[in-house]
Amino acid sequence: MHDGLLAAMRRSILDGDPDRSAALAREAIERGLPPLDAVRHGFVPGLDEVGEGFAKGDLFLPDLVMAGEAMKAATAVLEPELQKTGARREILGRIVLGTVRGDIHEIGKTLVSTMLAAAGFEVHDVGVDVPAETFADRAREVGADIVGLSALLTTTMTAQRDVVRALDRDGLRPRVKVIVGGAPVTRAWAEEIGADGYGEDAVAAVSLARSLVGR
Ligand code: B1M
């Protein structure tokens, strides 16, 4: 039913066209396409294709940058709708969430942040390229139940372990739980570094966070 729209969304990312992707996001809302479907089945396939092209050497850094800009423009339009999907006032728990040091990928992290907030968590988004100590300091400051760590590069995954160690060193664990995610991250990696869970995507991250706070 929305095949044409989803294909146009994918195309807008491949073209790196933020005006078009934002317009298509608005069209999705008007036509009643669930915002998470627009992200998952419309825009993300475009990003995946750009990522594959980049890995093969068919596309270059500017293509990656423009695809990222187009994705950000679309998610900025969809974010308020994503928040509405589970709007509730009761706070399920406090989460400090960010992308680890050395890594500036923000789109997946921000999506996870939005979905957690929509589910009822108080989310303290500390941004991207965040040092381990900042996660620990912020977790102490806000009385976090969970620290969430995103990493998109095989070279920055190890920084997730640095955060687990920083939390251990500061005596915040095991009270503060750690969840990890991002394209190269696996359940086995989460276990290896002593994290409390791995979320494959934003929806899985929400179920995981709920189970860790007993909700
Ligand atoms: Co980058 N990049 N990038 N990039 N980039 C990847 C990740 C890559 C796979 C592309 C490729 O080569 N195929 C590759 C990594 C290879 C590797 O290490 N395995 C790569 C590379 C190499 C690089 C650079 C090194 C390129 C260079 O400079 N030569 C560079 C690194 C910069 C740095 O961080 N230091 C770089 C830069 C960039 C841009 C800045 C240009 C841009 C990001 C723009 C931005 O974020 N503002 C960018 C982009 C857009 C990508 C791709 C194409 C798309 C990433 C994305 O946003 N996906 C990506 C290829 C790809 O993933 N297909 C690629 C959509 C998003 C919704 O998915 O982020 O996976 P994702 O998040 C998902 C899940 O992973 C999960 O839930 C999210 C929603 O479902 N999740 C969690 C994420 N975090 C979670 C946390 C959780 C739980 C679940 O709990 C806490």
Side-chain angles (χ1 to χ4, degrees):
M1 181 181 159
H2 292 292
D3 287 358
L5 181 56
L6 294 172
M9 288 171 170
R10 174 184 146 276
R11 187 76 250 164
S12 70
I13 301 295
L14 291 174
D15 292 343
D17 186 343
D19 293 338
R20 179 91 179 117
S21 62
L24 290 165
R26 282 190 289 273
E27 189 179 333
I29 295 167
E30 277 156 24
R31 289 176 51 183
L33 176 66
L36 198 54
D37 285 356
V39 172
R40 277 174 161 172
H41 306 304
F43 295 114
V44 165
L47 270 183
D48 285 343
E49 221 172 303
V50 171
E52 281 158 26
F54 179 76
K56 279 197 237 147
D58 297 338
L59 295 176
F60 303 97
L61 194 55
D63 302 305
L64 216 55
V65 173
M66 286 318 294
E69 289 304 312
M71 182 71 189
K72 278 203 306 183
T75 41
V77 173
L78 294 172
E79 215 168 278
E81 296 301 311
L82 286 166
Q83 274 162 8
K84 274 187 216 158
T85 53
R88 54 159 81 207
R89 296 275 61 91
E90 184 199 2
I91 293 176
L92 296 183
R94 293 191 173 81
I95 302 192
V96 170
L97 179 75
T99 304
V100 294
R101 192 207 286 268
D103 197 325
I104 60 168
H105 292 88
E106 66 179 331
I107 295 163
K109 179 272 298 166
T110 303
L111 196 57
V112 171
S113 170
T114 303
M115 297 301 288
L116 285 167
F121 285 91
E122 183 181 296
V123 182
H124 299 266
D125 188 331
V126 288
V128 297
D129 189 14
V130 180
E133 303 72 38
T134 304
F135 281 105
D137 291 348
R138 204 61 203 277
R140 193 182 318 95
E141 245 169 67
V142 306
D145 303 292
I146 298 174
V147 169
L149 307 171
S150 185
L152 264 285
L153 300 170
T154 39
T155 48
T156 56
M157 281 165 67
T158 50
Q160 293 182 327
R161 178 167 28 215
D162 297 339
V163 180
V164 174
R165 286 179 177 157
L167 294 169
D168 278 339
R169 219 171 23 241
D170 286 7
L172 293 168
R173 299 236 300 155
R175 195 189 67 72
V176 178
K177 308 293 180 209
V178 176
I179 65 176
V180 292
V185 177
T186 60
R187 196 172 304 282
W189 171 251
E191 281 167 18
E192 188 182 326
I193 64 171
D196 300 282
Y198 155 71
E200 189 183 358
D201 56 23
V203 173
V206 170
S207 328
L208 177 61
R210 290 183 72 115
S211 71
L212 287 172
V213 296
R215 310 295 282 270

